[in-house]
Amino acid sequence: MKAVFAPKAGPPEILEIRDIPKPEPRKSEILVRVHCATVTSGDANLRRFNRVFLGAVGLIAGFKVMKVPGVEYSGVVEAAGAGVSAFKPGDQVRGTTTGLAMGANAEYVCVPEHPKMGVLIHKAPELSHKEAAAVCVGAMTALFFLRKAGVREGDSVLVYGASGSVGSAAVQLARHFGARVTALCSGANAPLVSDLGAERVIDYRTSDFRDEGNRYDIIIDAVGKLKKSGVKDSLTDGGRFLTVKSMTKEINEEMEFLQDLQVSEELKPVITEEFSLDRITEAHRLVDSGRKRGNVVIPIVTEP
Ligand SMILES: NC(=O)c1ccc[n+]([C@@H]2O[C@H](COP(=O)([O-])OP(=O)(O)OC[C@H]3O[C@@H](n4cnc5c(N)ncnc54)[C@H](OP(=O)(O)O)[C@@H]3O)[C@@H](O)[C@H]2O)c1
C-alpha cells in the first residue's frame, strides 16, 4: 500500500511516499481503509523532533516512534480481528492513531477497537470523510479546555489564535455553550472568525487586547504564545487561563459529542487547504509556516 514515510527527523523534504506492506489487524484491532487523513501541527512537531530523543521519552510516556505520520483519519472498516465486537467490515469510522506505532497518512491503518490514548467511533453517515477528519484533535482540545474552565452561558471568552485548528473550534464551541467570544487573529482571517460566531475580532498584529482594560472569564491561548502572568490583569476574579501548552486527553464520548454538534451544524469543519498524499511535503510546509487556517486535509479516496 501507499504510505507517507519519515525515515528520520527533519524538514518536510524528508518525507517520502513508499510502497509498504498493508498492515494486518490483530485480534482486537480493525483494519481501516483511510478515506481522508490530515496534517496537524502535532504531526509537524513529530516530524521535526529528534527521533532518538522522542523514542526515549516515548518509552516513558507510552508513545512509539512514528515512521508513518498522521494522527487523524476517517475511513471504512475493511477487516476486523476475531475479538472485535463493535465494528464490522463496511462500517464508517473516524478516530485518531495517538500512541500507536503507525499513523494514518496511508491507504490503510490498523487501530485497536478500544484505543488506550486515542479515539475511535462510528462516523455519522451525514458527514463526509473530509468533514469527519477535519474535526478531531483540535476540536477535542478546545472542548477539553472549555470544560476544564467550566464555561457557562453568558461567560466572556477570549480566544487567542482563533483561526487555527484549536482556535476555530474553541470559538464555535464557546458560542455553543452560550459564551460571548472575543477572538484574536490576523486581519486577513477576521471574516472567517466572525463567521464562526465571534462577537468581536481583534487583529493581534495591530492591537494588544491587554491595553483595552477588558476582563474575561476565560482566556484560551490556542497557539501557545501567552503566559498566565501576562494575562492575569485581563481575567475577572476567578477567571481561568488555559493554554495549548498543557496536557489534554482524547475521550471517545467527547468525540461523539463533537460529532453530534457537526450533524446539527453547530460545529463547522474549517478546511482551508487540501493536498493529495503525493503532495505531503507541501502540506507539511504549510503547517510549518504557522499560518495554516483551520485544518489541512489529505483526501486519499475520492468521495462522490
Ligand atoms: N491541531 C491540533 O489538533 C492540536 C491539538 C493539541 C494542541 N495543539 C497545539 O496547539 C497549537 C495550535 O495548533 P493549531 O493546529 O490549532 O494551529 P497552528 O497551525 O499551530 O497555528 C495556526 C494559526 O496560528 C495563528 N498564529 C500564528 N502566529 C500567531 C501569533 N504570534 N499570535 C496569534 N496567532 C498566531 C495563525 O493565525 P493568523 O494567520 O490569523 O495569525 C494561524 O491561523 C500548536 O502549538 C499545537 O501543537 C494542536
Side-chain angles (χ1 to χ4, degrees), residues 1-5 17-23 68 102 106 108:
M1 69 164 185
K2 209 159 121 176
V4 176
F5 195 83
I17 299 295
R18 282 200 188 172
D19 201 10
I20 63 168
K22 187 171 156 183
V68 176
M102 198 189 134
Y108 294 90

Side-chain angles (χ1 to χ4, degrees), residues 87-142:
F87 301 95
K88 59 181 188 317
D91 284 358
Q92 300 198 9
V93 292
R94 60 192 292 185
T96 65
T97 62
T98 308
L100 302 180
M102 198 189 134
N105 286 172
E107 288 176 316
Y108 294 90
V109 68
C110 277
V111 292
E113 178 182 20
H114 303 291
K116 281 197 187 121
M117 299 173 88
V119 293
L120 169 65
I121 66 168
H122 283 97
K123 177 179 84 62
E126 296 90 335
L127 304 174
S128 69
H129 288 288
K130 266 186 221 172
E131 290 168 330
V135 172
C136 197
V137 183
M140 275 192 282
T141 302

Side-chain angles (χ1 to χ4, degrees), residues 8-10 45-56 65:
K8 56 182 180 184
N45 287 340
L46 267 177
R47 190 210 69 234
R48 259 192 303 267
F49 282 159
N50 178 311
R51 286 183 170 270
V52 176
F53 174 69
L54 184 69
V65 174

Side-chain angles (χ1 to χ4, degrees), residues 32-283:
V32 179
R33 172 75 165 111
V34 180
H35 282 233
C36 188
T38 65
V39 177
T40 66
S41 31
D43 290 318
N45 287 340
L46 267 177
R47 190 210 69 234
R48 259 192 303 267
F49 282 159
N50 178 311
R51 286 183 170 270
V52 176
F53 174 69
L54 184 69
V57 171
L59 282 178
I60 300 160
F63 283 95
K64 297 183 179 72
V65 174
M66 227 174 183
K67 296 228 166 191
V68 176
V71 170
E72 305 166 329
Y73 66 87
S74 179
V76 177
V77 178
E78 174 136 323
V84 172
S85 56
F87 301 95
K88 59 181 188 317
D91 284 358
Q92 300 198 9
V93 292
R94 60 192 292 185
T96 65
T97 62
T98 308
L100 302 180
M102 198 189 134
N105 286 172
E107 288 176 316
Y108 294 90
V109 68
C110 277
V111 292
E113 178 182 20
H114 303 291
K116 281 197 187 121
M117 299 173 88
V119 293
L120 169 65
I121 66 168
H122 283 97
K123 177 179 84 62
E126 296 90 335
L127 304 174
S128 69
H129 288 288
K130 266 186 221 172
E131 290 168 330
V135 172
C136 197
V137 183
M140 275 192 282
T141 302
L143 181 59
F144 183 87
F145 289 150
L146 286 164
R147 297 243 200 247
K148 194 169 172 191
V151 65
R152 286 182 307 199
E153 186 156 4
D155 275 352
S156 57
V157 175
L158 181 132
V159 179
Y160 189 88
S163 53
S165 175
V166 178
S168 59
V171 171
Q172 298 182 77
L173 291 170
R175 285 289 305 122
H176 166 75
F177 290 117
R180 290 172 289 114
V181 179
T182 299
L184 281 97
C185 61
S186 58
N189 287 327
L192 165 78
V193 170
S194 291
D195 277 356
L196 297 176
E199 200 170 273
R200 250 191 100 210
V201 182
I202 301 172
D203 182 346
Y204 68 89
R205 290 176 172 181
T206 54
S207 347
D208 188 330
F209 70 95
R210 290 167 282 210
D211 296 340
E212 295 180 338
N214 293 334
R215 288 176 181 262
Y216 300 90
D217 299 307
I218 299 170
I219 295 181
I220 293 183
D221 176 7
V223 284
K225 306 278 184 198
L226 301 176
K227 286 197 175 125
K228 188 170 184 182
S229 55
V231 301
K232 62 179 181 354
D233 293 339
S234 303
L235 286 168
T236 53
D237 288 343
R240 287 130 290 163
F241 170 71
L242 295 117
T243 167
V244 285
K245 286 192 169 163
S246 56
M247 289 293 282
T248 60
K249 212 168 160 191
E250 296 180 26
I251 303 166
N252 255 11
E253 291 71 23
E254 295 293 59
M255 196 63 242
E256 296 275 12
F257 176 85
L258 292 167
Q259 171 151 278
D260 290 345
L261 289 184
Q262 268 192 283
V263 171
S264 61
E265 296 183 10
E266 284 176 86
L267 177 60
K268 295 179 205 149
V270 179
I271 302 171
T272 45
E273 294 276 353
E274 63 178 73
F275 297 89
S276 63
L277 210 53
D278 293 326
R279 293 176 61 212
I280 195 74
T281 299
E282 287 172 65

